[in-house]
Amino acid sequence: MGDQSVDRSEGFGERLLGALLDRARLLPPQLIAPLIAEEVARIGGRDVSILLQDYAQELLVPLPGEKLHVGRPEPVTDSPAGRAFQSADVVEVSHARGGVRMYLPLLDGSDQVGVMALTLNTVDDDDRRLLRRLAGLVADMLVTKNAYTDQFFLARRREPMSVSAEIQWGLLPPLTMTVPQVEVAGILEPAYRVAGDSFDYALNDNILHTAVIDAMGHDLDAAAMATIAIGAYRHARRVFVSLAEKYTFMDLAISRQFGADHFVTAQLMHLNIATGELELVNAGHPAPLLIRGGKVVRQLESATTLPVGFGGEAPRIREHTLQRGDRVLCYTDGIIEERVDGGEPFGEERLVRCVNRLGQGRSDGMRADLRLLSHTLKKERGGRTSDDATLFMIEWRGGAADQFTIPD
């Protein structure tokens, strides 16, 4: 890339990205990766790899394809690709065979898709600008093509997946979302056998709507109940306004479909991202933890509400006010009820100790911190996850949407 005769101007970049868009539009999914490698070669890049996050959020797995460099999976922790993925920023390292190996995060909006890696002889600011934009376009193309192929799903799998887990992964929104005012992230365990746990969210104007659920039972029965619960929640969210109405709508859907002996525990929240005002309904879940300055300061209490499906009265809403930088950690009972040493439950105290211990170290951002917490908890449980175990975290930063300008 050190050849000064190569046109790397803004105009060249626009033409390259435009040509990529035009060619990709009608290509079948299996030809997208070779097209990307071909376009990167036009600016002097070589050994192009597309690395996708595996379902357990432990590895970045190379996407196979013609003209792509397919190496070994790279760990999300302790690798250059992992640093780019977790920081959502470009990482550059000297290549053993000469040149610079670049790792560019693939972000669809703020959702972490994976990493694009390539090698250049030399790198300057023109290269960095063009490649950042190219990585954004590549992420968008992968997400678009993902909707009508199994190729990317199969690349991300590291072990067989149960039918119930297939259902749950198809039900989930993007695992992460970041806007200037708020960030959310979630993680499910066991990734390949999860059944009844799920979460959902939507940002509508200044209100972040979130739900974390745990359907009773195991396997397909739990997955079917979770599907109805999330479907009812989304429908109510798009029709009604209050948390109480959402709860009632979900309650009716579960009781009518499954009868009085089935239930779903749920945590429903509205967060005003401009003011930090939080409304909470907790229907049978462990109370969320409020994390401030890296330490758990208290539980977010709420009025007693029956689980969804029991036909309870309309819930009373509990209100809390967050401070800028506060994090709210929601979790399902699989986190604290796993049996550990001597058969005793893991317990909330151990969870809090893990959160506090990790909070005193260097933070790589909320998404990376949640991933590290999940993996740490799994190790603390001796690697066992016999029940679904879900973590969902919100970080509030504040400021109304109209206070932020669109970046150049």
Side-chain angles (χ1 to χ4, degrees):
M1 197 75 193
D3 186 355
Q4 296 302 311
S5 66
V6 176
D7 182 358
R8 295 170 293 176
S9 66
E10 190 87 12
F12 169 77
E14 290 175 356
R15 291 193 299 273
L16 182 143
L17 297 176
L20 181 59
L21 264 178
D22 292 341
R23 296 179 65 190
R25 184 171 61 87
L26 296 177
L27 278 183
Q30 70 270 19
L31 296 184
I32 289 297
L35 175 62
I36 293 166
E38 182 181 320
E39 293 298 318
V40 169
R42 291 180 58 194
I43 55 175
R46 64 182 187 273
D47 297 335
V48 180
S49 295
I50 304 296
L51 304 167
L52 304 178
Q53 178 182 224
D54 78 319
Y55 282 98
Q57 300 193 39
E58 296 175 346
L59 296 171
L60 292 166
V61 184
L63 180 67
E66 184 183 354
K67 299 183 182 181
L68 287 179
H69 173 71
V70 181
R72 294 181 177 179
E74 300 201 29
V76 172
T77 56
D78 300 324
S79 74
R83 291 200 301 274
F85 180 76
Q86 296 197 85
S87 66
D89 203 358
V90 180
V91 171
E92 301 175 13
V93 297
S94 297
H95 197 277
R97 292 183 286 126
V100 178
R101 189 71 172 163
M102 297 187 69
Y103 299 88
L104 299 111
L106 298 175
L107 300 172
D108 176 51
S110 60
D111 184 29
Q112 296 167 301
V113 177
V115 171
M116 181 171 69
L118 56 97
T119 301
L120 298 172
N121 289 334
T122 61
V123 181
D124 63 19
D125 288 342
D126 285 327
D127 303 323
R128 296 182 180 97
R129 182 196 68 245
L130 176 56
L131 289 169
R132 279 196 300 268
R133 294 175 178 177
L134 177 61
L137 180 55
V138 168
D140 288 343
M141 289 192 303
L142 291 174
V143 170
T144 299
K145 299 296 183 181
N146 181 68
Y148 48 88
T149 183
D150 292 328
Q151 180 183 6
F152 307 136
F153 290 99
L154 295 173
R156 295 174 59 200
R157 290 187 183 177
R158 306 301 296 164
E159 60 183 79
M161 183 175 284
S162 68
V163 175
S164 59
E166 288 273 12
I167 293 171
Q168 288 301 78
W169 282 105
L171 191 65
L172 286 173
L175 297 181
T176 61
M177 181 199 72
T178 302
V179 296
Q181 306 93 334
V182 70
E183 183 170 4
V184 301
I187 188 167
L188 302 183
E189 289 285 351
Y192 297 95
R193 300 185 306 280
V194 67
D197 279 14
S198 192
F199 60 83
D200 197 43
Y201 62 84
L203 180 58
N204 297 326
D205 296 323
N206 274 342
I207 303 300
L208 174 69
H209 306 249
T210 70
V212 180
I213 70 162
D214 181 1
M216 67 166 285
H218 301 282
D219 302 324
L220 284 175
D221 285 345
M225 211 174 341
T227 301
I228 296 294
I230 291 294
Y233 169 74
R234 288 174 178 167
H235 179 74
R237 187 181 70 211
R238 294 161 184 167
V239 175
F240 304 128
V241 176
S242 73
L243 284 183
E245 289 173 306
K246 289 185 176 71
Y247 169 86
T248 299
F249 198 88
M250 294 169 68
D251 184 75
L252 288 172
I254 294 298
S255 62
R256 288 174 178 173
Q257 184 66 31
F258 298 98
D261 58 341
H262 288 68
F263 66 90
V264 175
T265 64
Q267 226 157 47
L268 310 177
M269 285 183 279
H270 285 176
L271 173 62
N272 187 314
I273 64 171
T275 66
E277 296 172 350
L278 176 73
E279 294 181 335
L280 169 66
V281 167
N282 194 345
H285 258 293
L289 301 178
L290 177 63
I291 303 169
R292 182 171 294 159
K295 288 190 174 183
V296 176
V297 293
R298 68 174 185 273
Q299 293 180 332
L300 292 181
E301 298 177 351
S302 61
T304 300
T305 300
L306 289 175
V308 170
F310 279 168
E313 297 178 354
R316 289 177 292 168
I317 309 302
R318 182 64 186 266
E319 297 181 355
H320 300 273
T321 301
L322 303 183
Q323 297 181 13
R324 291 177 187 265
D326 279 355
R327 293 176 175 180
V328 177
L329 177 63
C330 304
Y331 59 95
T332 57
D333 58 13
I335 294 287
I336 58 175
E337 292 182 358
E338 186 70 55
R339 299 286 173 175
V340 289
D341 304 331
E344 66 177 11
F346 184 81
E348 186 181 284
E349 289 187 6
R350 294 191 193 191
L351 168 61
V352 170
R353 286 201 299 269
C354 284
V355 172
N356 291 342
R357 185 172 71 248
L358 296 177
Q360 302 314 301
R362 181 179 66 86
S363 175
D364 291 315
M366 191 202 75
R367 291 179 286 194
D369 291 350
L370 184 68
R371 188 179 298 109
L372 178 59
L373 174 62
S374 177
H375 296 163
T376 299
L377 291 172
K378 187 175 180 179
K379 290 180 182 178
E380 293 279 332
R381 300 193 305 266
R384 293 184 297 273
T385 307
S386 58
D387 190 11
D388 295 348
T390 295
L391 296 172
F392 183 79
M393 186 179 283
I394 304 167
E395 179 176 290
W396 180 65
R397 298 161 184 167
D402 57 8
Q403 293 178 357
F404 295 89
T405 58
I406 299 174
D408 296 330

